[in-house]
Amino acid sequence: MRAVIVAAFVAFALTMALTPLAAKLFRRLKAGQPIRSDGPQTHLAKAGTPTMGGVVFIFTTVLAYVAGHLVLMALPEEVDGITLNRPTGFTATGIVLIGLFVTCGFVGFIDDWLKIRRKHSGGISGKAKVVGLTIAATAFGFMAVYYTGSIDSKEISETVATPYLSFTSDIGPNLTKVGMVVLIVLLVNATANGVNLTDGLDGLATGASMMAFVAFVVIGFWEYRHWCGGAQPADNLCYDVRDPLEIALIAGAAAGAMFGFLWWNTSPAQIFMGDSGSLSLGALIAGLAFASKTILLLPILGALFVITTASVMIQVTSFKLTGRRVFRMSPIQHHFEIGENRWSEVTIVVRFWIIAGICTALALGFFFADFLRIAG
C-alpha cells in the first residue's frame, strides 16, 4: 500500500506544481480553447482559457507510476518469514494500461492542436477520432489477451485480460480472444467518448474520473490482498487477476493527478483538460475495468458517463425521427444551464458529482457484496 500512497502523492504534488506553469505557457503560445457558438452563451466568457491540460496529468501519472515501482523495489521481499509475491519491475498490465493511456491521450492531443491552430471548436472529425482510439485499443487489446511475458524474470501463463465477460471476476461466456479484443475496442471508445462528453463544465469530468480511479484503487488493492498468485494458498476467495497491485498503483497515480488538477480546473477553470485529457482518462478507466475483471461493473461505476452519453443519443435520435428535442441542449449537463429555471455551473457540477459518488459507492457495494456471498 505504501507504493500506491507514494504514487498518488507524487502525482498530486507534480500536477499541483506543473499545471499553473503549463497554463502560463499555453497562454503565451495562444493555446486557448475555442468555444462553440451554439453552446450555452455563458461559456463564451471562457474563450481563450488554456487547454491541453491533459498533457500535464498524463506526464505526472506516468512519473508517479515509475516512482511507485521505485518504492516497491526498496521494500523488503519477506515479512515475518513470508515471501511477498509482488512485482517490482514493470509488468504487462502496466505496459498495456499506461500505453493505452498515453496513446489515446495523443489522439486527443491532435484534436486539441487542430482546434487551436484553426481557432475553431472543431478538431479532427468524429470518424477520425474513432479510428485513432480503435487503433490504440486494438494494439493494446491484442497485447492484453495474447501476451503473457514474465514478472521479475519469472515466466507466467496469465494474460492481462481473459476471453470471458466479468463482473467482479470471470463469469463467462467465452467470447474467444478475438471477441474480447473487439469488446475492449468498444469499451475504450465508449468510455473515452463518455468522459469527453461529460467534460463540458469546469471540474465535472475531473472530479467524476477521480472517483472512478479511487474505486479502482480499492478494487485493485483488495484483489491483491486476496490474490490467487499471492503468498496465501489459492482458494475460492482469491482473485485470479494478473497484476492486481499494478492496477491499484496506476489507479492511485491517476487519482492523485486528478486531485491536483482539480485545484486548477474547478470553476472558474484556469486550464481545461481538452480532448488530450478526456480521451486518455476514459481509455484508462476502461483499461482498468478489463484488467481487474470488472467489465460489467463499469457501467455502474461510471454511470454518470453512461447518462451523459445516453442523453446525446436520445437527443440525436429524437430529432432525426421526430424533429423534436428531448432536452433543451445535450449533453444533459447543458440542459440545466439554459431555460427559465437554469442552475448555476457550480450547482450542476456538485450535483453531478453527488450522482457519480453514489454510483461509485454502489459499484463498490456490489463488488464487496459478491465477495461476502462467496465467503458465506
Side-chain angles (χ1 to χ4, degrees):
M1 191 63 179
R2 279 177 285 182
V4 177
I5 294 173
V6 168
F9 178 77
V10 168
F12 167 74
L14 288 176
T15 307
M16 276 286 291
L18 295 180
T19 300
L21 298 179
K24 291 180 180 179
L25 175 62
F26 293 156
R27 192 174 288 111
R28 289 178 182 176
L29 296 175
K30 298 182 178 180
Q33 174 70 47
I35 304 298
R36 290 172 48 190
S37 58
D38 59 344
Q41 295 302 300
T42 54
H43 288 201
L44 296 177
K46 300 181 181 183
T49 302
T51 187
M52 296 193 299
V55 173
V56 179
F57 59 69
I58 290 173
F59 176 68
T60 57
T61 299
V62 174
L63 284 185
Y65 167 67
V66 174
H69 270 280
L70 292 177
V71 173
L72 287 176
M73 293 173 64
L75 292 175
E77 296 184 1
E78 292 187 4
V79 175
D80 297 330
I82 300 176
T83 301
L84 301 178
N85 188 6
R86 62 168 180 248
T88 53
F90 302 119
T91 65
T93 301
I95 294 171
V96 168
L97 294 179
I98 293 296
L100 188 63
F101 184 49
V102 173
T103 52
C104 290
F106 181 71
V107 174
F109 173 81
I110 296 174
D111 186 62
D112 290 335
W113 181 75
L114 288 176
K115 289 177 182 176
I116 294 167
R117 182 180 179 184
R118 298 170 180 172
K119 299 186 183 302
H120 189 271
S121 59
I124 60 177
S125 67
K127 290 182 180 179
K129 194 179 297 185
V130 169
V131 169
L133 292 174
T134 299
I135 292 173
T138 301
F140 289 101
F142 268 103
M143 183 174 181
V145 299
Y146 283 100
Y147 179 74
T148 55
S150 61
I151 296 180
D152 299 336
S153 301
K154 298 178 181 178
E155 292 295 327
I156 60 173
S157 59
E158 292 85 2
T159 54
V160 177
T162 65
Y164 300 93
L165 280 177
S166 58
F167 184 64
T168 62
S169 60
D170 287 338
I171 59 175
N174 189 335
L175 303 178
T176 73
K177 291 185 176 182
V178 173
M180 178 51 66
V181 173
V182 173
L183 180 60
I184 288 172
V185 170
L186 294 175
L187 197 67
V188 168
N189 271 281
T191 313
N193 281 288
V195 176
N196 183 243
L197 291 171
T198 305
D199 182 35
L201 301 180
D202 296 350
L204 178 56
T206 305
S209 298
M210 181 176 65
M211 295 179 201
F213 289 131
V214 169
F216 278 116
V217 171
V218 175
I219 290 171
F221 192 72
W222 186 264
E223 289 178 337
Y224 174 65
R225 291 296 299 271
H226 301 273
W227 184 30
C228 296
Q232 301 299 321
D235 55 29
N236 64 335
L237 295 179
C238 70
Y239 292 94
D240 187 18
V241 178
R242 190 186 191 281
D243 304 300
L245 186 58
E246 194 85 327
I247 293 168
L249 185 62
I250 293 173
M258 289 298 94
F259 199 49
F261 187 72
L262 185 60
W263 182 274
W264 307 104
N265 183 235
T266 192
S267 183
Q270 297 184 38
I271 188 170
F272 298 141
M273 68 169 66
D275 279 22
S276 57
S278 59
L279 296 184
S280 63
L281 292 177
L284 182 57
I285 291 171
L288 289 166
F290 68 73
S292 62
K293 297 187 178 181
T294 54
I295 293 174
L296 296 180
L297 194 65
L298 180 60
I300 303 173
L301 192 152
L304 181 63
F305 307 134
V306 176
I307 293 170
T308 305
T309 304
S311 71
V312 175
M313 296 173 66
I314 291 170
Q315 185 85 324
V316 172
T317 302
S318 176
F319 188 76
K320 286 186 176 181
L321 294 179
T322 68
R324 297 180 180 179
R325 293 179 173 85
V326 176
F327 306 103
R328 300 187 190 100
M329 185 177 292
S330 65
I332 194 170
Q333 62 266 28
H334 299 318
H335 168 81
F336 298 102
E337 283 191 281
I338 60 179
E340 295 181 0
N341 300 316
R342 60 180 178 269
W343 299 349
S344 70
E345 181 171 348
V346 173
T347 299
I348 297 170
V349 170
V350 172
R351 288 176 177 174
F352 276 45
W353 279 351
I354 292 172
I355 294 172
I358 292 172
C359 295
T360 300
L362 184 62
L364 288 176
F366 277 120
F367 180 81
F368 287 111
D370 193 60
F371 179 83
L372 293 175
R373 177 185 63 82
I374 298 173

